[in-house]
Amino acid sequence: MTTAEEFDVGDLSENESARPGSRFMRPVEAIAALLLVAVIGLLLTGVVSRYLVNLPIIWIEEAASICFIWLAMLGAAISLDRNEHLRLTLFVRMLPRRAEEFVETFAMVIVGTFLVALMRDSFEYAYEEWFITTAALHIPNTYRVAAIPVGMLAMLGLLVMHLFRSSRLTDVAISVAAVVLISLGLWALSPQFIAMGATALPLFLVVIVGACLFAGVPIAFCFGLGTLSYLLFATHIPTFVMVGRMDEGMSGVILLSVPVFVLLGCVLDATGMGKAIVGFLSSLLGHVKAGLSHVLLVSLFIVSGISGSKVSDMAAVAPALFPEMKRRGNKPNEMVAQLATGAAMADTVPPSIVLIVLGSVAGISIAALFSAGFVVAIVLLLSLMALARWRARHENMEGVRRARFGDVIRLLVFAAPALVLPFLIRAAVAEGAATATEVSTIAVVYSLVIGGLMYGGFGLRALYRMLVETAAMSGAILLILGTALSMAWAITQAGVGQTLADFAISLPGGAPTFLVLSIAIFLVLGCVLEGLPALVLMSPLMFPIAQQMGINEVHYAMVIVVAMNIGLMTPPIGIGFYLACRIGNVSPDSAIHAVWPYVAALMAGLIVIAAVPAISTGFL
């Protein structure tokens, strides 16, 4: 997902000997893979029974939801074992080696502190749910929510193993002592914090969360620890409530499509369907100036509609185009700049996981977001293509020939099954023929069949690895959603939402000023937090204000998603920029100057999108 220069996502994932819990986690990985298969199987059965047999099975969704939360929590444990939780390591990597080792140990102790502090509440929450019976299956809800304490217990066990196998005992002891002293200090000051009321909130949700971020604590646990410490030391609210908010954040029915679309990206990457699209577009546009730049950008636009993952997008497109682009005289730093900003542009293209999550959090129609996102991405695509054409005016076209008509047709036939998929996904959701969750399931089955028949397919071992990888990535995403929503709930309970609304309404200029403020906020958050955490954290606060000001919710969603994605690709902090540098094998220092004109082109497109609401709403 990200890189070691900026965010650590798992240098240990490929080296089982470096993972203390690898043997212990093998059965957990197998169970998670089976749960993912079960989710897909249940959803597919529901689609077939509803649309082909016209006999809806009412318990399907409930059974899938039970499997889903277990998949999320076990996936979070797998992600912790593989060191794949999203975390900021920019500042930790600046430290001397010995200091870096200590801070890494301290970060693990912080994560363990959060798990220990919430463990009793999670078991109590699971016990209390025994008295609540599910609507369709008529079983105690404990069978579903027991995933939360079990997942936390697994993560705590992994942390203990890692601490005592790979950390210095003196570092562990000092870290534990530091956490105990900080906790005692906060407990002693608790009466003052409670008396301060909402004004104590910044200490916990800014200072503590910020300090944890800088120390390299995974983002999900930064949010969780900030919220937990605020509830413990500055309120009379029982921390038991936080487990319920986390459950709510990870249990949205619409979120069922997240792991399925993640798996879809893995399947497409393995089968080479994205490369088939790139080959066809190259035969159409490769003979004109900036042609391969256009192919790069259009390929990202199309491929993103299939995978919904920036990683899969860039990894599928760059290797197929960069060698020929270099031969034509394109500079590697320019190519990386186009790759990074093209991926940012493509994040509004359905079936974007960001749009799915935003729709779930903000209560917006996914079909409306998909329709608007497609048009918005076209505006950004045209902005980037215009800049690429101008900058390629001196491109060396010597020896470049137009592809023969027969070759174009042959490549079209080969790429057609892959080209059809994104348009089927968009049409099915936009027309209301199927939900995003149903479409994601159909798309996976389609890709498995077509990929196996036309693009070489892959073996069962590779499929198993993809299932485990999907579980780990989904668990990391969903744990962030759970803790971020609990943090957003705490902010709302403290009255910050109303304070922010009053401040925004008092600003001169009304809705336009609020849009400018929102763009600034999400540009910064996109740099620091990455997409999903930023959206989940701020959406519950910002959307009600936008609604009060008469801003269309779909238009506002497009503005903040684009702003967030631009921040994501903006150096020196934007993590997407470093990912593009890694894929393009280019030093960030050399690419940083080339990316600014393309960031400016995206900003110009964003200004147009913000100023003309019809771009987002005209095709709804």
Side-chain angles (χ1 to χ4, degrees):
M1 247 178 117
T2 50
T3 67
E5 289 93 346
E6 185 67 20
F7 273 76
D8 191 0
V9 292
D11 297 333
L12 303 180
S13 61
E14 299 300 327
N15 183 7
E16 285 203 358
S17 63
R19 290 160 45 197
S22 58
R23 291 185 180 180
F24 165 70
M25 291 303 291
R26 284 174 187 165
V28 177
E29 291 175 352
I31 293 170
L34 288 173
L35 286 168
L36 181 55
V37 171
V39 168
I40 295 172
L42 286 167
L43 294 174
L44 185 63
T45 301
V47 171
V48 171
S49 66
R50 180 178 302 171
Y51 293 104
L52 296 184
V53 187
N54 196 25
L55 184 65
I57 304 176
I58 60 174
W59 54 265
I60 286 282
E61 194 172 274
E62 198 170 278
S65 178
I66 293 173
C67 295
F68 177 67
I69 193 168
W70 278 93
L71 172 67
M73 293 305 299
L74 295 182
I78 296 169
S79 187
L80 190 67
D81 178 46
R82 294 174 168 222
N83 195 24
E84 291 179 353
H85 277 280
L86 192 65
R87 63 194 190 105
L88 181 66
T89 60
L90 174 66
F91 302 101
V92 176
R93 298 290 182 247
M94 293 178 179
L95 298 173
R97 182 62 185 169
R98 182 68 188 91
E100 181 183 341
E101 290 176 358
F102 173 77
V103 173
E104 291 280 4
T105 300
F106 184 72
M108 285 189 283
V109 171
I110 289 289
V111 173
T113 300
F114 170 77
L115 293 171
V116 169
L118 212 57
M119 190 70 68
R120 178 180 176 181
D121 289 322
S122 66
F123 275 100
E124 184 180 342
Y125 181 76
Y127 172 76
E128 293 293 335
E129 291 292 305
W130 184 264
F131 304 101
I132 299 175
T133 303
T134 61
L137 293 173
H138 304 294
I139 59 175
N141 199 41
T142 298
Y143 288 112
R144 186 183 67 83
V145 300
I148 298 175
V150 170
M152 287 186 172
L153 202 58
M155 285 187 276
L156 184 60
L158 286 168
L159 277 173
V160 171
M161 281 191 285
H162 192 87
L163 280 170
F164 286 99
R165 289 190 186 185
S166 58
S167 298
R168 299 170 188 259
L169 290 180
T170 53
D171 289 351
V172 175
I174 293 171
S175 298
V176 171
V179 169
V180 170
L181 287 174
I182 292 170
S183 301
L184 289 174
L186 292 174
W187 176 76
L189 294 172
S190 180
Q192 286 80 4
F193 292 143
I194 293 174
M196 291 169 64
T199 56
L201 192 68
L203 172 64
F204 295 94
L205 302 191
V206 176
V207 176
I208 290 180
V209 172
C212 290
L213 275 173
F214 289 139
V217 177
I219 288 179
F221 297 99
C222 291
F223 289 167
L225 192 68
T227 307
L228 182 64
S229 58
Y230 172 69
L231 295 179
L232 273 174
F233 302 117
T235 73
H236 294 295
I237 300 173
T239 53
F240 173 87
V241 175
M242 183 177 172
V243 183
R245 300 287 75 75
M246 289 176 61
D247 177 23
E248 182 182 332
M250 294 186 291
S251 300
V253 173
I254 197 169
L255 296 177
L256 281 168
S257 61
V258 170
V260 187
F261 274 128
V262 171
L263 177 61
L264 178 60
C266 295
V267 171
L268 293 168
D269 187 40
T271 57
M273 292 175 76
K275 293 180 180 178
I277 294 174
V278 173
F280 168 64
L281 292 175
S282 297
S283 71
L284 285 180
L285 301 172
H287 61 281
V288 301
K289 280 194 175 182
L292 292 183
S293 294
H294 294 337
V295 171
L296 177 69
L297 295 170
V298 175
S299 296
L300 287 167
F301 181 92
I302 295 176
V303 171
S304 68
I306 307 176
S307 71
S309 164
K310 294 187 192 70
V311 180
S312 298
D313 299 348
M314 292 193 281
V317 171
L321 287 174
F322 276 19
E324 177 62 17
M325 292 178 75
K326 288 180 182 177
R327 193 193 69 76
R328 293 194 187 186
N330 287 272
K331 297 178 180 178
N333 55 359
E334 185 87 3
M335 292 150 47
V336 165
Q338 294 171 2
L339 183 68
T341 51
M345 164 271 298
D347 211 24
T348 63
V349 180
S352 166
I353 292 174
V354 168
L355 294 185
I356 293 170
V357 172
L358 180 59
S360 172
V361 173
I364 307 173
S365 163
I366 301 299
L369 290 176
F370 276 14
S371 298
F374 188 78
V375 180
V376 163
I378 289 176
V379 173
L380 300 174
L381 174 64
L382 294 175
S383 300
L384 293 173
M385 289 178 70
L387 176 61
R389 176 63 184 85
W390 182 78
R391 290 174 69 87
R393 60 193 183 278
H394 303 304
E395 184 177 358
N396 177 21
M397 301 298 293
E398 183 180 349
V400 178
R401 297 287 182 270
R402 183 192 294 267
R404 292 182 299 177
F405 181 74
D407 292 336
V408 175
I409 296 300
R410 178 178 57 81
L411 289 168
L412 172 61
V413 171
F414 184 66
L419 281 167
V420 166
L421 183 55
F423 297 100
L424 287 177
I425 291 172
R426 293 169 191 136
V429 177
E431 296 298 323
T435 66
T437 304
E438 293 168 341
V439 169
S440 66
T441 310
I442 297 170
V444 166
V445 175
Y446 174 92
S447 300
L448 287 170
V449 175
I450 297 299
L453 293 176
M454 292 194 62
Y455 301 100
F458 42 79
L460 290 177
R461 187 182 296 273
L463 177 60
Y464 176 76
R465 284 198 299 269
M466 285 188 285
L467 291 171
V468 175
E469 181 183 336
T470 299
M473 187 179 296
S474 301
I477 291 172
L478 292 165
L479 188 61
I480 288 174
L481 290 178
T483 55
L485 274 178
S486 67
M487 185 173 175
W489 173 84
I491 293 172
T492 303
Q493 291 298 307
V496 173
Q498 187 57 50
T499 303
L500 186 60
D502 294 340
F503 170 74
I505 292 171
S506 68
L507 290 174
T513 302
F514 178 69
L515 281 175
V516 172
L517 176 65
S518 298
I519 289 172
I521 289 172
F522 280 93
L523 279 171
V524 174
L525 289 177
C527 287
V528 177
L529 291 183
E530 208 262 343
L532 291 175
L535 284 175
V536 175
L537 182 61
M538 295 302 295
S539 294
L541 301 177
M542 304 298 280
F543 270 90
I545 303 172
Q547 192 173 23
Q548 287 182 43
M549 293 192 162
I551 302 173
N552 181 277
E553 60 183 8
V554 175
H555 174 223
Y556 187 68
M558 292 300 108
V559 170
I560 64 173
V561 168
V562 173
M564 180 200 68
N565 283 325
I566 295 174
L568 183 65
M569 297 296 174
T570 302
I573 298 179
I575 60 177
F577 168 73
Y578 292 92
L579 174 59
C581 289
R582 171 183 275 183
I583 291 175
N585 196 26
V586 172
S587 166
D589 294 338
S590 64
I592 197 168
H593 299 292
V595 79
W596 289 115
Y598 290 94
V599 170
L602 287 178
M603 284 299 300
L606 174 57
I607 291 169
V608 172
I609 291 162
V612 185
I615 293 174
S616 303
T617 61
F619 294 89
L620 298 183

